[in-house]
Structures are given as structure tokens and as C-alpha cells.
Amino acid sequence: MITAPPLDALPWLRHEFGTRHSPPPAGRVATLRQIHSAAVWSVREAAGCLGEGDALITAEPGLLLAIRTADCVPILLADPVRRVVAAVHAGWRGTVAGVLTQTVGQMHSDYETNPSDLIAAIGPAIGPCCFTVGSDVPLPVVDGRADLWAANRRQLEEAGVTSIWSAGQCTLCQPGTFFSFRRDRESGRMISAIGIR
């Protein structure tokens, strides 16, 4: 498992970016059937699979928000002022749809989060070294490759988030550590989770 130092500094917070060797998180876990969208769920008490979407928000202690990835970008958000957290699944379609913009906006509308208070952590995902794309992917492309890390960082910055940490690890490059759908075609999923203790 991988953790982000800026989130480690918050004693009330639990978080992790899973690897292919990480066990599933224990406890009350809320998940979604991920559909590569900008749909965001605000979770009050429920656990289990809540429906279709790609981002979860909560201020409920004892509840973990979890997403699954195998090349898409996992992003964990924490508001240390309001004690609100979010877990976001951002593939290229979700990135283009503005899933992070929607999540930050809903954190503000539901919990009065100020985007400048947020700490964001971008987890392992397919990197610009390996993410070859065609003309069907409406992202900036350099030498046939797109940078999902940079696209999501830009979206966070445009939403007003200034504290952004990135793991900078490519899932396709590290078969011993990460699952990669693009590399293996059939693969498992890493689980990334965040919650309030």
C-alpha cells in the first residue's frame, strides 16, 4: 500500500492507495459501480455498493470510501477544516467530463468546503510514458501520448485546489507492483480508500 505524506499528517484520517498485493480495506466501505462519468455521490451512512458513479464524498466517521483502478487515476481529497473526504475515479472519460470539478463543487455545496483548504493526492495510474491514445481521446497529446496526471492536476488547480501531491508511479511500467488493464487486457483492480477515523 502507498500513502501520501500530506494526508499522513492528518491524525483523524485513514487512507491508502492499493497495489496488486494489498488486501481489501476492512470495515464499513462504500463503493460505486464505476461508469467513467462525472457522477458524484454524497454518502451519509450507507455502506456497500451504492449505485453508478465515479466519486464519493463523506463527513461520516468510521466509513471508508473506496474506488477501484487498473490504469485510471485514483484521487483522494481531504478537507482538514470541515473534516470531509472524497475518493475519485478518473479515467480519461471521467477526466474529460470534469469529475474532479464536480467533486470539489459538490464538497463545497454539501459541506461548505473551501477548495483552497483541500489536500489532494493523485495515486498511481498509467503515466505519460505509456498512455498512447488516438484522435478519439480529447486530451492534449504529445508524441501520441496523453498525460492523465497533468490533466487531473490542472482540473484541481482550476477548481481552486493548491495542495496537490502525486505518487508519480506508472501502473503499466511496474507489473510486479500494479495491475494494468492496458498491459494485461485482463487484470485485477487496485483499491484506493479514504475515511475519517
Side-chain angles (χ1 to χ4, degrees):
M1 125 178 115
I2 295 163
T3 61
L7 296 181
D8 282 335
L10 302 175
W12 54 272
L13 186 74
R14 175 184 170 194
H15 82 285
E16 60 189 61
F17 291 105
T19 70
R20 68 184 304 143
H21 308 293
S22 300
R28 290 174 56 227
V29 180
T31 63
L32 293 169
R33 191 169 78 76
Q34 296 166 188
I35 55 172
H36 298 275
S37 70
V40 182
W41 285 66
S42 224
V43 186
R44 303 294 178 176
E45 296 177 3
C49 185
L50 306 181
E52 294 185 340
D54 289 276
L56 295 153
I57 304 167
T58 197
E60 179 76 18
L63 179 66
L64 274 178
L65 309 178
I67 53 160
R68 295 175 174 82
T69 59
D71 283 333
C72 294
V73 187
I75 300 118
L76 303 178
L77 302 171
D79 175 353
V81 176
R82 300 285 181 179
R83 292 208 177 180
V84 181
V85 297
V88 182
H89 163 258
W92 73 260
R93 288 179 181 85
T95 300
V96 169
V99 66
L100 275 172
T101 303
Q102 292 293 327
T103 304
V104 173
Q106 193 157 330
M107 291 177 84
H108 176 72
S109 63
D110 291 0
Y111 299 99
E112 300 182 355
T113 287
N114 184 334
S116 64
D117 291 331
L118 283 171
I119 299 168
I122 300 172
I126 192 166
C129 49
C130 296
F131 189 32
T132 55
V133 298
S135 58
D136 60 320
V137 177
L139 289 170
V141 174
V142 177
D143 297 328
R145 291 179 171 84
D147 188 341
L148 277 177
W149 301 337
N152 283 287
R153 174 181 285 275
R154 199 161 40 249
Q155 201 168 123
L156 286 164
E157 290 169 346
E158 288 169 359
V161 180
T162 57
S163 177
I164 305 169
W165 176 89
S166 180
Q169 296 189 57
C170 175
T171 49
L172 196 146
C173 284
Q174 300 180 62
T177 306
F178 303 114
F179 293 116
S180 168
F181 182 79
R182 280 191 168 231
R183 182 188 61 233
D184 303 327
R185 289 299 164 203
E186 300 260 342
S187 78
R189 298 290 185 271
M190 281 90 65
I191 300 174
S192 297
I194 190 166
I196 300 163
R197 294 184 189 278

